[in-house]
Amino acid sequence: MKIGMRTIKTALAVSICVFISRLFNVTTAFYACIGAIISMESTVVYSYRAGVNRILGTVLGAFIGMIFSYIRPGDVILSGIGIVIVITLCNLFKWKKSIVIASTVFCIIMTNLQGRNPLMYSAYRTLDTLLGIGIAVIVNFSIFPPKVHENINERYKILKDICINEFINTVKIHGKIDLNKIKEGLDGFNKYIQLYEEEFEIIKKHHYDLYTLKIMYSNFEKIYVYLEMISFINLECVVDETNLLRLQQFMDIEEISLLEKCNSNIYSKENILFNYNLSKIMDCFIIISNLEKKEII
């Protein structure tokens, strides 16, 4: 069984929390470890942004917990009301990634006070959790940070292969176009383009030109639209001579294999529309190919 890098980095962050807690004896390892585990993310971008939000969430949870523990620590009704307030405020401030950590800190303070001063206990538990969050973010940044550009390359190749296969399938055998498969490929490629854009804003390092990637994505979207148009044409259309010459540049295909199906419908509206969309798809592939050479993707 393969152990993922995120698992390894989480374990490392927990070990560092325990080491620092024992070395300086100024924090409780348990709460720092909780902060580290909750804050470890799969990408540098998510780790940074989640880290910032969780720091704010920790402070919020500690503050609400302190107020409620001054009123009546461990009270059943107040504990429920406090959680409602914490979650509502996190949603209000758009701190979605903070809800778990804020609620955790609130519960720690509200249910585990055991006669200690609410202010001091809240302060220490806040520091504990912040230590864990900070260590998780630093580890994720420093130890084999996820390389978004590699994921972009992988998703690009997957999407390109899907589009080419569906295109060939349409031209050669008039097969049914799997639009859902293309859509999934588009979503995957776009997801990592967005992550790449966010990552660049944070670490100021790039491998690809973002504008070029977006043009690539836009042309893949157009291919999807043109194939969708073709899927609505019920008539078994044939490739005209103009498109045939262009197709021979894209794939190994014999002229007779396409023209032998030519009939009186070659100039019908459906066939004209079919060939128009084929031509547009090839235009998009040419643009993508030229951009690919530029980006070496």
Side-chain angles (χ1 to χ4, degrees):
M1 183 175 63
K2 185 178 179 181
I3 300 177
M5 183 53 64
R6 183 177 180 180
T7 302
I8 294 173
K9 289 195 286 189
T10 302
L12 179 60
V14 167
S15 295
I16 293 174
C17 287
V18 174
F19 174 76
I20 291 177
S21 299
R22 290 183 177 179
L23 181 64
F24 295 102
N25 197 30
V26 294
T27 184
T28 303
F30 175 75
Y31 302 111
C33 290
I34 290 176
I37 293 169
I38 293 175
S39 298
M40 185 60 68
E41 292 288 341
S42 57
T43 71
V44 171
V45 175
Y46 287 157
S47 184
Y48 174 81
R49 293 194 168 178
V52 172
N53 283 342
R54 281 167 180 153
I55 288 172
L56 297 172
T58 298
V59 174
L60 174 65
F63 180 72
I64 302 297
M66 180 188 69
I67 292 176
F68 277 62
S69 61
Y70 267 119
I71 299 172
R72 188 180 300 165
D75 184 81
V76 175
I77 303 298
L78 288 181
S79 295
I81 294 174
I83 285 295
V84 171
I85 293 174
V86 168
I87 295 175
T88 301
L89 289 175
C90 284
N91 285 325
L92 180 65
F93 298 142
K94 301 187 187 314
W95 298 345
K96 298 290 185 182
K97 293 285 186 179
S98 304
I99 292 175
V100 173
I101 194 71
S103 300
T104 300
V105 173
F106 170 83
C107 290
I108 288 170
I109 295 170
M110 187 61 178
T111 63
N112 200 39
L113 194 59
Q114 297 179 354
R116 286 167 286 203
N117 181 278
L119 176 60
M120 295 302 298
Y121 187 71
S122 300
Y124 281 125
R125 295 299 74 82
T126 301
L127 291 175
D128 294 340
T129 310
L130 291 180
L131 174 65
I133 293 171
I135 289 174
V137 172
I138 292 171
V139 167
N140 212 19
F141 264 91
S142 306
I143 310 298
F144 297 107
K147 297 178 180 179
V148 176
H149 69 279
E150 292 181 357
N151 291 320
I152 285 180
N153 190 289
E154 179 185 353
R155 292 292 178 172
Y156 166 80
K157 291 177 180 177
I158 291 173
L159 176 58
K160 182 181 177 183
D161 287 344
I162 291 172
C163 289
I164 289 175
N165 289 336
E166 292 302 317
F167 178 61
I168 293 174
N169 185 48
T170 300
V171 172
K172 280 191 171 184
I173 62 174
H174 297 285
K176 184 178 179 181
I177 303 170
D178 193 342
L179 293 172
N180 289 331
K181 194 173 183 180
I182 302 174
K183 186 65 169 61
E184 289 175 3
L186 281 168
D187 291 342
F189 188 41
N190 188 46
K191 171 187 173 182
Y192 282 102
I193 290 177
Q194 292 177 347
L195 279 175
Y196 182 73
E197 183 174 13
E198 294 173 347
E199 184 181 73
F200 176 74
E201 292 177 0
I202 295 172
I203 64 178
K204 306 299 180 184
K205 181 179 179 181
H206 67 281
H207 298 266
Y208 304 125
D209 176 62
L210 188 60
Y211 180 69
T212 301
L213 290 175
K214 289 183 176 181
I215 295 178
M216 283 180 161
Y217 175 77
S218 174
N219 278 276
F220 278 122
E221 270 193 321
K222 290 177 183 177
I223 290 173
Y224 173 86
V225 172
Y226 294 134
L227 285 172
E228 185 178 32
M229 290 295 295
I230 290 175
S231 71
F232 290 137
I233 302 173
N234 295 323
L235 181 68
E236 189 175 273
C237 299
V238 295
V239 179
D240 62 27
E241 292 187 22
T242 302
N243 277 336
L244 179 61
L245 293 174
R246 298 189 68 190
L247 279 170
Q248 289 172 331
Q249 301 173 12
F250 282 84
M251 63 186 79
D252 181 20
I253 192 166
E254 296 179 4
E255 182 175 344
I256 190 172
S257 67
L258 293 173
L259 292 185
E260 66 183 2
K261 295 182 180 180
C262 183
N263 53 41
S264 58
N265 289 322
I266 187 85
Y267 297 113
S268 67
K269 291 181 180 179
E270 290 85 356
N271 211 76
I272 292 172
L273 181 60
F274 172 77
N275 280 281
Y276 170 80
N277 284 289
L278 282 188
S279 177
K280 288 297 184 180
I281 290 172
M282 286 186 280
D283 288 342
C284 291
F285 275 127
I286 290 172
I287 293 172
I288 291 169
S289 179
N290 290 334
L291 292 173
E292 179 180 314
K293 293 174 184 177
K294 175 182 176 182
E295 283 298 321
I296 320 178
I297 195 169

